[in-house]
Amino acid sequence: MKKIICKKEYDTETATMVKKYTSGVYGDPAGYEEILFQTPAGLYFLYVRGGETSPYPTENILRMAKAKVNAWMENH
């Protein structure tokens, strides 16, 4: 998936996966995945997707500030 946010490109095909977090099991309507990526330019983003009742009912890319990356890593 590719998305432009604030004139910066975030692309799961060209970025490096750092860590993956899964909640629930495949097919669970409340289940979801958060995958942390780092772009070649050093920017971080979350690729999210989930079931219809999850926090991420649609596939999306969310940019992430470097200051929040460590906290996300510790909590997941």
Side-chain angles (χ1 to χ4, degrees):
M1 177 177 190
K2 186 182 343 184
K3 187 172 183 179
I4 305 292
I5 304 171
C6 296
K7 300 181 182 180
K8 303 232 188 264
E9 182 178 277
Y10 299 88
D11 187 349
T12 57
E13 295 293 321
T14 59
T16 302
M17 185 177 79
V18 177
K19 186 173 182 180
K20 181 178 182 178
Y21 173 76
T22 304
S23 175
V25 295
Y26 185 77
D28 179 1
Y32 62 91
E33 286 184 330
E34 297 177 331
I35 306 171
L36 179 65
F37 284 91
Q38 184 176 21
T39 69
L43 302 172
Y44 289 93
F45 67 93
L46 283 177
Y47 168 74
V48 296
R49 64 182 173 192
E52 59 192 38
T53 61
S54 76
Y56 310 111
T58 58
E59 178 183 47
N60 201 5
I61 286 179
L62 309 170
R63 66 184 178 150
M64 185 172 235
K66 287 182 184 180
K68 294 188 177 190
V69 170
N70 286 337
W72 184 88
M73 296 271 289
E74 289 175 7
N75 292 322
H76 293 83

